[in-house]
Amino acid sequence: MSFLPRRSLLATLALCTLAGAAAAQPAPKPIRLIVPYPPGGPLDIAARTLAAAVKDSLGTVVVDNKPGAGGNLGADLAAKAAPDGTTIVMGAVATHAINPWLFKKLPYDPIRDFTPITRVAQVPNVLVMNAEAAQRLHIASLADLVAYAKKNPGRLNYGSGGNGSAGHLAGEMFKAQAGVFMVHIPYAGGNPAQLGLLSGQVDLNFDNLATASANIKSGKLKALAVTGTRRSAALPEVPTVAEAGAKLGLAQFDVGTWFGLFAPAGLPAPELARLHKAFTAALDAPDTKARFAQLMAEPSPTTPEQFAAFVKAELAKYGPVVKASGATVD
């Protein structure tokens, strides 16, 4: 070392100092991504897909399933976490738009207690009839359904995964806007509701497209309309309820399943920008789009401001629907 020129010696010492400082830096703390539902569902699969996609930009993201109380348990854990960017949650239409009206006591405020990051995806729902019932009742379109229901109040029934479920509320919104009466038959979950429809126990359901698609393709179910604002790429020939029911009082009908990422309230702006950039880039990646397509989920990233406005609008939309349905959870 003593034979090195002075400049070389100083440069070597500086490099050693920088290397030592870098080595002393602690590894980034893993990000905890809470999924407030059980493993294996669409939100869980989407969360794990995104966790893998952002590994290079954000480091390790650990998906933590915390189901319970209709999603409220996991959402509340995120709401009460430190706003430092290490805890986020995959919230959904239930946790942030329906449950606040459905549950008499909610441990969090869906607006005040969260920092919206980005909407992740929307999953189309579809109005489907038992194919045999549709043929027997001569119902081939949405207009036929509304006409029959008006002439025969209470003769049609629809199933759902339970009181206050998305399918139940879609049915109540449909009844209110179309001016018809159909009997609601609640089941203990989405799968039993679909079995009830296939067996003819109920006439129609407002079902998740991913769940119903196989039976639509096989001819067991007849798709009358999708419930969002645009047609689904998976069923391009099937109109939206608003499109097919524009002259039937249904021009504003819009009910869909959505989910997105939230952090606790008070997240610093630089951390919000970092998370938003990483996750929206992941949503635009071809591999992510291909995986979401298998779930029939359509990636729909937004700015944090757009997502915040969207959540507020959804919350306002579902208030009167839940009230009209009479559904409550203690």
Side-chain angles (χ1 to χ4, degrees):
M1 184 78 73
S2 60
F3 296 102
L4 289 173
R6 180 176 178 79
R7 288 184 179 178
S8 297
L9 177 60
L10 291 174
T12 302
L13 290 173
L15 288 172
C16 290
T17 301
L18 289 172
Q25 291 291 327
K29 187 176 179 181
I31 295 174
R32 180 193 188 195
L33 172 49
I34 297 173
V35 175
Y37 298 100
L43 267 71
D44 178 65
I45 295 171
R48 294 179 189 280
T49 300
L50 290 177
V54 300
K55 186 175 182 180
D56 290 342
S57 55
L58 295 179
T60 302
V61 177
V62 179
V63 176
D64 187 10
N65 296 91
K66 293 293 182 183
N72 294 346
L73 176 61
D76 187 47
L77 287 173
K80 291 178 170 56
D84 57 5
T86 62
T87 300
I88 56 179
V89 64
M90 187 74 84
V93 60
T95 58
H96 281 72
I98 295 175
N99 290 358
W101 305 109
L102 185 63
F103 284 76
K104 291 182 178 179
K105 293 181 180 180
L106 201 69
Y108 59 86
D109 185 289
I111 304 300
R112 187 185 62 239
D113 293 342
F114 296 90
T115 299
I117 300 171
T118 179
R119 189 172 59 198
V120 168
Q122 295 176 293
V123 182
N125 292 335
V126 59
L127 169 54
V128 285
M129 281 198 75
N130 175 288
E132 186 278 329
Q135 184 176 20
R136 173 169 43 85
L137 300 175
H138 306 290
I139 296 175
S141 66
L142 186 75
D144 292 341
L145 173 67
V146 173
Y148 181 89
K150 285 190 173 183
K151 291 179 181 178
N152 302 276
R155 290 287 300 273
L156 290 174
N157 54 38
Y158 74 99
S160 80
N163 287 319
S165 66
H168 175 204
L169 298 181
E172 293 302 312
M173 187 181 292
F174 183 88
K175 287 161 56 178
Q177 293 186 12
V180 299
F181 176 67
M182 302 183 294
V183 178
H184 173 232
I185 308 296
Y187 288 84
N191 287 337
Q194 187 182 72
L195 291 175
L197 178 62
L198 291 170
S199 66
Q201 294 176 0
V202 293
D203 301 308
L204 58 110
N205 283 3
F206 292 82
D207 206 353
N208 183 282
L209 180 55
T211 304
S213 60
N215 288 309
I216 293 171
K217 291 176 182 177
S218 71
K220 295 178 181 178
L221 297 179
K222 181 173 182 58
L224 297 180
V226 292
T227 65
T229 57
R230 63 188 184 195
R231 296 191 182 202
S232 169
L235 292 174
E237 73 283 2
V238 178
T240 67
V241 172
E243 179 185 355
K247 297 181 180 179
L248 304 171
L250 294 161
Q252 303 303 315
F253 192 90
D254 175 21
V255 176
T257 300
W258 58 263
F259 46 95
L261 293 169
F262 298 84
L267 184 71
E271 193 61 31
L272 173 60
R274 185 176 80 97
L275 292 172
H276 180 266
K277 180 180 179 180
F279 280 109
T280 53
L283 286 167
D284 196 42
D287 288 350
T288 303
K289 291 181 178 179
R291 187 70 181 99
F292 276 35
Q294 295 175 354
L295 304 172
M296 299 207 176
E298 301 171 357
S300 55
T302 61
T303 66
E305 295 78 15
Q306 288 170 337
F307 190 31
F310 174 78
V311 173
K312 287 180 180 179
E314 287 286 284
L315 181 65
K317 178 174 75 177
Y318 279 102
V321 181
V322 173
K323 184 177 180 180
S325 75
T328 59
V329 178
D330 292 330

